[in-house]
């Protein structure tokens, strides 16, 4: 039997993005699919060295510089898509490219909805303030049009209300180690992008406080790429802060193992209120106690797992003093933090393991590959009749 073929495309995300490359593409490869991956490898200075993946270079869409990436993606889809059974798009911009390439000539097109794009517009520093409301309205219009023209996958249950019909959810869960290491290393670790809304200022301030209050023994380790404003804070890093930059997912998880605490200090922003931070799931999976701001989904995870501490918002952001207090309390209580890490890992084994959701993801793409090109309400409702995924751990789409 000929292997199914998937064309996976992004011009915005890092080519080694955990959801795209480590979870979804790996799940397809393990199921025997042939994968073509088009992404801005050069724009991020990385390569995909897996011989099972055919890669195609695309320009990177960044800030206001997006037109070249859009044109290249349209050309790619017109040239490559028909040699595949499914096209999986990861950026809203690519919906425009697909429309320009002519959807009627393409195989089933799937948009993987990573975020509440309209809500995130308010956080785009490169977009002038006067344009943010019209841009958000344009995104909502594009979403409504896309729902009638392409298939949708959602990264969060909270995204369902944005759409007219129900769509399957592929949650941001993670691979859960069988045996996590004990949280003993004297470091609070953050894994993810470093930006203002993601709490970089509070992370740096927490590192300084931990360094001062522990006599230099404790600090914060930051793992991930930084935007321009964040780089200005981190070059050079202040005392108590170590910045590793971007690390491939496996290396980032290895650096996380055994950490005293995992930090998630996201601000109280509309886009974050309906999203479950993947970093919180990763910390729990690795048996690392979590310290998080009181975003609804993050707080729900921590409370249900009993795997961490929630710090309240102060004017929409974390209070570094409260974060440092939480870290120091865990540092002073080895039995308590070990028990907390063990509870978080046990919860992750039961509710957050990607291996379960990865099979559902592949099965869904396989079903679409055997259907017509255009979505129908009948298909969407059939998928939605399966149990919903939620932070309670209910399996399935």
């Amino acid at each position: 039997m000929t292997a199914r073929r998937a064309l996976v495309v992004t011009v915005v995300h890092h080519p080694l993005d955990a959801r795209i490359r480590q979870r979804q593409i790996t799940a397809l490869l393990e199921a025997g699919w042939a994968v073509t991956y088009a992404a801005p490898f050069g724009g991020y200075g990385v390569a995909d060295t897996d011989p099972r993946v055919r890669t195609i270079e695309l320009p990177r869409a960044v800030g206001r510089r997006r037109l070249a990436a859009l044109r290249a993606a349209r050309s790619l889809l017109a040239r490559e898509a028909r040699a595949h059974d499914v096209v999986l798009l990861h950026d809203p911009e690519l919906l425009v490219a697909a429309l320009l390439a002519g959807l009627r000539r393409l195989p089933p097109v799937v948009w993987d909805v990573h975020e509440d794009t309209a809500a995130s517009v308010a956080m785009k520093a490169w977009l002038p303030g006067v344009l943010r409301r019209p841009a958000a309205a344009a995104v909502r219009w594009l979403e409504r049009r896309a729902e009638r023209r392409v298939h949708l996958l959602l990264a969060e249950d909270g995204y369902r209300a944005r759409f007219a019909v129900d769509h399957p959810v592929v949650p941001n869960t993670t691979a859960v180690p069988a045996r996590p290491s004990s949280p003993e290393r004297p470091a609070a670790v953050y894994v993810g992008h470093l930006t203002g809304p993601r709490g970089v200022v509070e992370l740096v301030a927490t590192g300084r406080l931990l360094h001062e209050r522990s006599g230099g023994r404790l600090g914060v380790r930051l793992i991930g790429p930084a935007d321009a404003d964040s780089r200005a804070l981190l070059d050079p890093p202040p005392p108590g802060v170590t910045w590793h930059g971007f690390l491939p997912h496996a290396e980032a998880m290895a650096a996380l193992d055994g950490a005293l605490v995992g930090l998630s200090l996201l601000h109280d922003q509309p886009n974050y209120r309906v999203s479950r931070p993947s970093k919180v799931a990763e910390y729990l999976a690795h048996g690392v106690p979590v310290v998080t701001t009181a975003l609804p989904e993050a707080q729900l995870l921590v409370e249900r797992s009993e795997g961490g501490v929630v710090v309240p918002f102060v004017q929409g952001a974390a209070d570094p003093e409260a974060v440092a207090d939480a870290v120091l309390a865990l540092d002073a209580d080895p039995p308590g933090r070990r028990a907390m890490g063990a509870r978080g890992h046990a919860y992750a084994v039961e509710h957050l393991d990607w291996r379960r959701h990865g099979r559902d993801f592949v099965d869904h793409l396989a079903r679409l590959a055997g259907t017509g090109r255009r979505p129908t309400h009948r298909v969407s409702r059939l998928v939605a009749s399966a149990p919903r995924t939620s932070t309670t751990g209910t399996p399935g789409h």
Side-chain angles (χ1 to χ4, degrees), residues 60 123 188-205 220-235 237 241-247 263-267 272 279 283:
R60 180 183 175 186
M123 299 158 56
V189 176
Y190 170 88
V191 179
H193 285 81
L194 291 157
T195 68
R198 292 174 184 267
V200 67
V201 172
E202 294 76 31
L203 289 163
V204 169
V220 168
R221 298 177 67 194
L222 306 176
I223 299 170
D227 66 8
D229 291 339
S230 301
R231 287 195 297 272
L233 285 175
L234 299 170
D235 189 15
V241 178
T242 304
W243 178 37
H244 297 273
F246 172 81
L247 294 179
L263 298 175
S264 179
L265 306 187
L266 300 173
H267 288 190
Y272 297 152
K279 60 178 63 63
Y283 301 156

Side-chain angles (χ1 to χ4, degrees), residues 360-380:
D360 293 339
F361 162 73
V362 173
D363 289 345
H364 180 61
L365 289 196
R367 286 193 296 270
L368 292 182
T371 67
R373 291 180 172 83
R374 300 289 290 276
T376 67
H377 287 189
R378 179 186 62 80
V379 171
S380 294

Side-chain angles (χ1 to χ4, degrees), residues 9-356:
V9 189
T10 182
V11 292
V12 173
H13 291 85
H14 195 290
L16 303 184
D17 175 86
R19 177 175 174 85
I20 301 172
R21 182 59 185 88
Q22 304 305 322
R23 291 193 275 272
Q24 294 185 352
I25 289 180
T26 297
L28 290 168
L29 294 171
E30 290 176 350
W33 284 57
V35 176
T36 300
Y37 187 21
F41 299 98
Y44 281 94
V46 298
D48 192 322
T49 58
D50 189 331
R52 298 173 297 174
V53 178
R54 175 181 173 234
T55 60
I56 297 175
E57 179 70 36
L58 286 176
R60 180 183 175 186
V62 57
R64 302 179 193 180
R65 299 189 301 277
R66 295 176 180 264
L67 188 56
L70 181 65
R71 288 173 173 165
R74 184 207 62 78
S75 176
L76 167 88
L77 291 171
R79 183 179 71 250
E80 293 280 346
R82 281 176 285 180
H84 298 80
D85 298 294
V86 171
V87 176
L88 182 59
L89 307 179
H90 285 278
D91 318 313
E93 293 92 332
L94 295 176
L95 296 172
V96 178
L99 290 170
L100 293 173
L103 279 175
R104 295 183 183 278
R105 296 192 296 272
L106 303 182
V109 174
V110 182
W111 175 31
D112 188 27
V113 183
H114 286 231
E115 64 178 355
D116 186 340
T117 311
S120 72
V121 163
M123 299 158 56
K124 306 297 185 186
W126 53 267
L127 190 65
V130 70
L131 296 180
R132 290 177 186 175
R133 182 172 292 182
V139 168
R140 292 292 187 224
W141 175 86
L142 182 62
E143 288 181 346
R144 291 191 296 271
R145 184 172 176 83
E147 188 173 26
R148 298 193 299 269
R149 306 290 296 276
V150 303
H151 303 274
L152 269 61
L153 291 176
L154 312 182
E156 303 283 350
D157 283 303
Y159 299 165
R160 292 178 186 266
R162 288 157 50 193
F163 298 100
V165 298
D166 226 344
H167 299 283
V169 175
V170 176
N172 276 323
T173 52
T174 188
V176 181
R179 292 182 179 83
S181 54
S182 183
E184 304 296 336
R185 289 193 292 110
V189 176
Y190 170 88
V191 179
H193 285 81
L194 291 157
T195 68
R198 292 174 184 267
V200 67
V201 172
E202 294 76 31
L203 289 163
V204 169
T206 298
R208 285 197 184 102
L209 287 169
L210 291 175
H211 183 78
E212 292 168 3
R213 293 169 63 180
S214 69
R217 187 173 60 86
L218 298 178
V220 168
R221 298 177 67 194
L222 306 176
I223 299 170
D227 66 8
D229 291 339
S230 301
R231 287 195 297 272
L233 285 175
L234 299 170
D235 189 15
V241 178
T242 304
W243 178 37
H244 297 273
F246 172 81
L247 294 179
H249 188 257
E251 293 180 31
M253 293 300 98
L256 172 64
D257 274 330
L260 182 71
V261 167
L263 298 175
S264 179
L265 306 187
L266 300 173
H267 288 190
D268 186 16
Q269 293 280 349
N271 186 35
Y272 297 152
R273 290 176 199 147
V274 295
S275 300
R276 178 169 60 192
S278 56
K279 60 178 63 63
V280 173
E282 290 167 345
Y283 301 156
L284 295 173
H286 286 255
V288 175
V290 178
V291 174
T292 179
T293 46
L295 289 166
E297 293 296 324
Q299 182 165 347
L300 201 60
L301 264 184
V302 166
E303 290 176 348
R304 288 179 171 170
S305 66
E306 299 182 51
V309 178
V310 178
V311 294
F313 286 113
V314 176
Q315 297 182 337
D319 177 5
E321 290 280 355
V323 177
D325 287 344
V327 175
L328 290 166
L330 288 167
D331 179 56
D333 182 14
R337 71 171 181 265
R338 291 169 193 147
M340 187 177 285
R343 290 193 299 267
H345 176 259
Y347 182 90
V349 168
E350 184 67 22
H351 301 295
L352 302 176
D353 196 340
W354 167 253
R355 282 177 280 267
R356 174 192 297 171

